[in-house]
């Protein structure tokens, strides 16, 4: 079986070969246009370009470049999805808690009770921001490697008393590779030994020039424990989000990504899903990775049952047949037969990946109906 060349893939995607080569280079795969690439790389590339791979059965595989992109007039503004990254003990959890705590309105009975791996806060102007709790560095790069770009903005937390550490640098590299804009939160500025200016200087060595140093990466001094600088940080997020002009079509079948999943003794398999476009509703039939199901109930980050969830909303979904993996695509389909078909196909691909030493044939992957 023949592997696919960059040229052939470009033709099928309706993109320029040179653009594919450029994207591959950025992904760390330097190849020329006549060289072949493996299936995983091809898949990643296709998703990178916002196209989709249609896989219903092995014989019916096609790249769909027409229906995937939502027409401009269907797009509506959506909240930014933010991930906090940084070295261990630099205050990621404290900062997430502080932001969450600050946003709990005094009148809101019970506050936030549910841990679903993501939460939303409402800003004074009523706009929302979604924070992802889970993706640590590994989850973040794993999700990205599988083509799931769930984050719009990364907040890099650096403790002002410790400076840049190995996981800080790792986070910087992941963020750069993902092409996601960064906001630097210089934390623990309440400590007497805090040296925020030193952090800014250290960042320069990694080509991160913060605004304070004349660059365009926003930096905000915060103290997660003293709860200072949080408003400024939220403002920085809002500003960055405005620049990104984040939009999605809410009026279509929902698509998203599994953020985390588990087996609950009483309620069965549960998944927290970040809806990325469309609106997810109770009763929708879906495929999540190699598992399928029908949405029995949805629970938001405040532990409330909800009937629908639009773009950038994290929800816990009940009604799965099995526990999917973090990073799995979540797709609403028209009926249960179709859901089983897609799930079975994905399962087959997964099994094959596990059992065959040789790479899965790219020819199968991109075979079209002749
Ligand atoms: P993570 O590993 O990045 O999630 O860090 P944690 O949020 O668990 O924080 C690690 C430690 O640093 C804890 O003991 C926190 O109380 C402390 N810490 C976090 N933020 C601050 C801060 O702004 N000021 C001070 N003084 N301590 C902080
Ligand atoms: Mg933590």
């Amino acid at each position: 079986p023949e592997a696919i060349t960059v040229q052939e893939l470009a033709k099928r995607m309706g993109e320029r070969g040179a653009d594919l080569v450029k994207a591959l280079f950025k992904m760390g795969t330097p190849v020329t246009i006549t060289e072949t690439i493996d299936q995983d790389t091809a898949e990643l590339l296709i998703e990178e370009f916002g196209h989709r791979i249609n896989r219903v059965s092995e014989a019916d595989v096609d790249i769909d470049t027409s229906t995937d992109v939502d027409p401009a007039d269907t797009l509506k503004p959506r909240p930014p999805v933010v991930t906090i990254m940084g070295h261990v003990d630099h205050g990621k959890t404290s900062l997430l808690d502080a932001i969450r705590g600050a946003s709990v309105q005094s009148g809101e009975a019970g506050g936030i009770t549910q841990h679903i791996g993501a939460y939303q806060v409402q800003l004074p102007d009523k706009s929302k921001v979604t924070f992802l709790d889970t993706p640590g560095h590994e989850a973040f790069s794993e999700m990205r490697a599988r083509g799931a770009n769930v984050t719009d903005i990364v907040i890099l937390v650096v403790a002002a008393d410790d400076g840049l550490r190995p996981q800080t640098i790792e986070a910087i590299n992941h963020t750069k590779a993902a092409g996601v804009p960064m906001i630097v939160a210089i934390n623990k500025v309440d400590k007497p030994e805090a040296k925020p200016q030193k952090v800014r200087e250290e960042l320069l060595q990694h080509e991160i020039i913060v605004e304070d140093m004349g660059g365009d990466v926003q930096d905000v001094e915060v103290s997660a424990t003293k709860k200072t600088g949080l408003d400024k940080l939220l403002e920085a997020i809002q500003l960055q989000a405005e620049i990104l002009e984040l939009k999605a079509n809410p009026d279509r079948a929902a698509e998203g990504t599994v953020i985390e999943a588990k087996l609950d003794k009483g309620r069965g398999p549960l998944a927290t899903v970040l809806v990325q476009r469309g609106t997810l509703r109770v009763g929708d039939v879906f495929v999540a990775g190699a598992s399928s199901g029908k949405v029995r109930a949805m629970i938001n980050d405040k532990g409330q049952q909800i009937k629908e969830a639009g773009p950038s909303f994290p929800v816990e979904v009940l009604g799965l047949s099995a526990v999917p993996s973090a990073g799995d695509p979540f797709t609403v389909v028209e009926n249960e037969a179709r859901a089983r078909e897609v799930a079975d196909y994905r399962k087959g691909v997964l099994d094959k990946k596990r059992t065959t030493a040789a790479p899965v044939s790219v020819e199968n992957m991109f075979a079209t109906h002749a």
Side-chain angles (χ1 to χ4, degrees):
E2 226 176 294
I4 197 159
T5 64
V6 176
Q7 197 153 33
E8 176 61 21
L9 182 59
K11 209 174 87 191
R12 296 200 189 176
M13 285 169 67
E15 297 284 349
R16 285 175 14 159
D19 291 337
L20 262 64
V21 170
K22 211 184 292 171
L24 281 162
F25 186 80
K26 274 199 215 147
M27 284 157 60
T29 315
V31 290
T32 63
I33 194 155
T34 52
E35 282 182 90
T36 56
I37 51 174
D38 65 23
Q39 177 185 322
D40 285 345
T41 311
E43 259 189 65
L44 205 63
L45 198 60
I46 291 164
E47 298 198 14
E48 193 78 26
F49 276 78
H51 299 323
R52 100 194 303 180
I53 308 157
N54 270 352
R55 273 166 297 182
V56 176
S57 67
E58 212 136 347
D60 178 16
V61 175
D62 204 354
I63 302 163
D64 184 345
T65 56
S66 54
T67 58
D68 188 54
V69 178
D70 291 307
D73 61 354
T74 64
L75 302 179
K76 304 233 169 74
R78 64 168 179 86
V81 180
V82 177
T83 300
I84 300 189
M85 299 213 278
H87 196 74
V88 64
D89 283 345
H90 277 199
K92 297 179 296 295
T93 303
S94 305
L95 192 58
L96 269 166
D97 289 348
I99 294 168
R100 181 171 8 207
S103 79
V104 178
Q105 265 126 43
S106 39
E108 203 175 325
I112 284 132
T113 50
Q114 189 88 0
H115 175 86
I116 67 166
Y119 67 83
Q120 275 195 332
V121 306
Q122 190 169 315
L123 303 180
D125 72 347
K126 302 283 177 211
S127 68
K128 291 184 159 78
V129 179
T130 303
F131 286 89
L132 296 187
D133 236 348
T134 3
H137 299 187
E138 239 165 76
F140 185 83
S141 45
E142 162 77 12
M143 279 195 194
R144 225 174 53 72
R146 303 175 58 189
N149 281 319
V150 290
T151 302
D152 300 308
I153 298 167
V154 165
I155 295 184
L156 181 73
V157 179
V158 188
D161 63 337
D162 202 22
L164 267 63
R165 307 278 290 141
Q167 288 163 27
T168 319
I169 292 156
E170 222 177 86
I172 290 171
N173 292 336
H174 286 321
T175 308
K176 279 187 183 167
V180 174
M182 177 191 287
I183 295 169
V184 181
I186 304 176
N187 191 29
K188 307 199 187 184
V189 293
D190 59 288
K191 285 190 150 188
E193 61 273 37
K195 293 192 184 69
Q197 194 57 22
K198 188 155 170 272
V199 172
R200 297 186 181 97
E201 282 159 18
E202 287 177 347
L203 284 166
L204 279 179
Q205 293 164 18
H206 298 272
E207 284 107 43
I208 296 182
I209 312 165
V210 297
E211 283 184 336
D212 212 62
M213 308 280 279
D216 52 16
V217 175
Q218 298 190 79
D219 59 310
V220 185
E221 291 189 13
V222 297
S223 165
T225 48
K226 295 272 186 286
K227 302 188 176 16
T228 59
L230 301 179
D231 287 351
K232 276 222 171 93
L233 182 60
L234 289 173
E235 265 170 42
I237 293 168
Q238 199 174 3
L239 182 63
Q240 184 64 64
E242 273 165 27
I243 293 167
L244 293 172
E245 290 188 61
L246 302 165
K247 286 178 180 160
N249 175 7
D251 304 310
R252 52 164 292 152
E255 277 180 19
T257 300
V258 175
I259 301 301
E260 61 175 34
K262 63 179 179 197
L263 185 64
D264 183 271
K265 264 191 201 143
R267 298 181 297 166
L270 298 177
T272 295
V273 174
L274 176 73
V275 178
Q276 291 172 294
R277 53 182 184 169
T279 297
L280 183 64
R281 295 190 171 84
V282 171
D284 279 350
V285 175
F286 63 85
V287 183
S291 143
S292 60
K294 187 174 187 170
V295 180
R296 234 178 338 121
M298 289 196 289
I299 294 161
N300 69 10
D301 57 346
K302 291 162 188 72
Q304 301 155 333
Q305 288 226 17
I306 52 169
K307 290 265 176 271
E308 52 177 49
S312 295
F313 276 69
V315 278
E316 188 172 59
V317 173
L318 281 76
L320 293 111
S321 63
V323 182
S325 307
D328 276 344
F330 183 98
T331 318
V332 168
V333 293
E334 53 268 38
N335 57 50
E336 277 162 49
R338 165 92 174 180
R340 269 192 303 273
E341 209 177 13
V342 177
D344 284 348
Y345 178 70
R346 284 184 185 167
K347 221 177 295 171
V349 170
L350 289 177
D351 289 346
K352 213 191 287 178
K353 271 189 185 165
R354 269 185 228 112
T355 53
T356 43
V360 178
S361 142
V362 178
E363 194 183 67
N364 281 345
M365 196 57 226
F366 299 109
T368 46
H369 278 308

